[in-house]
Amino acid sequence: MSILPVLLLLAAVILVNGWTDAPNAIATTVAAGVLSFPAAVALAAVFNLLGVVCTAAVSDAVARTLWSMADFGPYALTALSAALAATALWAVFAWRFGVPTSESHALVSGLAGAALALGAERLRLGALLWVGFGLGLSLLLGWGLGRLFRRLLPPKKSGFYHRGQIIGAALTAFFHGAQDGQKFLGVLALVLTLQGGGFTLPPWSEWACAALMALGTLMGGKRIIDTVGRKMVCLTPRSGFAADLGCAGALALCTLLGLPVSTTHAKTAAILGAGADPDGKVAGSLGAAWLLTFPACGFLAFLLVKCLLAW
């Protein structure tokens, strides 16, 4: 199997990630009317790009964590193709219904399912548990920091928090790029491992990843913004700013620890922590989608590997 189809699939998943995952970074800003949708999307695209490039220049810890999850051996191209295809299909399915699922969560489950299709010994359980710990930690940190900032921020005129939300959206988009860009660089390193040696990345990789993610962000994702920023919980400018700070803080801490985590999980949890009167039905549907992501993407990747090997 040629390496080119896998690289094209990876590029498609990065593009879809910017399209469906990055809108979480700007959901509160758009919902509060601080920025128009086009302006917020442009802001997110710029800071997504900066997040990928700046983080890659100083640390590759998150990429190395994902790279160490599985040993696909001679079937690496087949397994990675299946995992990436499952991730993209799940993301588009979720976007169609406006559900903000996590591409990080989907990618991890796709890699795990593909590895299991080749044999349980191909999956490195320690790395998988570390990733799972990060996904759980991002929920707790997002919720806790969102609630903490809501209590600490003093009452001020809404104009102050409107300006603050622009900064908060920029920070969240930056750390989304830092997190998800590193994950996709980890997948690229898995592809390049086939050429011999250990973890390695070409100098152009972070710029290519950053450009694709920024381009995907510019494509929109308005349905997800409506679900997260408007339908799920009632946000004021103050609580919206608290949610932005909570999410950015959670992502920053997990990035420093080398934990691959989800912007979707962190931002949604921060909004629930900072907001008031959450809609239980909407929050419940999001939780159900998150619970379904791991088995659904893992099983889809498992089936795709089996089909590709049989074919």
Side-chain angles (χ1 to χ4, degrees):
M1 185 177 184
S2 169
I3 196 174
L4 182 59
V6 183
L7 292 176
L8 291 175
L9 264 175
L10 178 58
V13 171
I14 297 171
L15 197 70
V16 169
N17 175 269
W19 174 31
T20 62
D21 211 0
N24 292 287
I26 56 173
T28 55
T29 309
V30 174
V34 176
L35 289 175
S36 66
F37 178 70
V41 164
L43 176 78
V46 170
F47 280 90
N48 266 319
L49 187 147
L50 290 174
V52 177
V53 174
C54 293
T55 305
V58 297
S59 173
D60 58 10
V62 172
R64 284 181 179 273
T65 299
L66 203 76
W67 173 77
S68 66
M69 264 189 58
D71 176 15
F72 295 121
Y75 304 104
L77 292 180
T78 299
L80 288 170
S81 296
L84 290 168
T87 302
L89 288 170
W90 181 255
V92 174
F93 171 79
W95 166 85
R96 173 63 182 81
F97 294 98
V99 178
T101 58
S102 165
E103 271 68 66
S104 305
H105 194 176
L107 181 62
V108 167
S109 59
L111 290 171
L116 288 174
L118 298 174
E121 70 279 2
R122 297 286 184 184
L123 185 63
R124 292 170 178 158
L125 186 59
L128 179 62
L129 291 175
W130 183 239
V131 173
F133 169 73
L135 290 172
L137 181 64
S138 67
L139 286 171
L140 292 174
L141 279 175
W143 184 87
L145 289 175
R147 181 165 289 270
L148 177 65
F149 280 119
R150 189 188 71 179
R151 291 179 177 177
L152 293 178
L153 290 174
K156 287 185 178 290
K157 292 182 178 179
S158 59
F160 174 85
Y161 287 118
H162 278 163
R163 291 187 293 272
Q165 279 189 271
I166 297 175
I167 298 171
L171 282 172
T172 306
F174 179 90
F175 284 111
H176 169 263
Q179 267 287 328
D180 285 28
Q182 284 278 303
K183 296 186 195 85
F184 295 124
L185 291 175
V187 175
L188 178 61
L190 277 169
V191 177
L192 297 179
T193 299
L194 293 172
Q195 299 177 351
F199 182 92
T200 182
L201 286 169
W204 50 263
S205 57
E206 62 264 25
W207 284 101
C209 179
L212 282 167
M213 191 176 291
L215 180 60
T217 304
L218 288 172
M219 292 167 60
K222 197 169 184 179
R223 291 186 183 189
I224 292 171
I225 289 175
D226 288 338
T227 299
V228 174
R230 294 191 176 100
K231 297 178 182 178
M232 185 173 64
V233 71
C234 179
L235 290 173
T236 64
R238 178 167 166 262
S239 59
F241 185 42
D244 290 337
L245 291 178
C247 177
L251 293 177
L253 180 59
C254 291
T255 302
L256 290 172
L257 292 173
L259 287 167
V261 299
S262 164
T263 304
T264 303
H265 289 182
K267 187 58 178 280
T268 306
I271 289 173
L272 287 170
D277 301 321
D279 186 317
K281 185 178 180 181
V282 174
S285 68
L286 297 186
W290 293 351
L291 289 174
L292 282 172
T293 294
F294 200 94
C297 283
F299 184 64
L300 182 56
F302 183 96
L303 284 180
L304 287 172
V305 169
K306 293 295 187 182
C307 291
L308 288 171
L309 289 177
W311 182 61

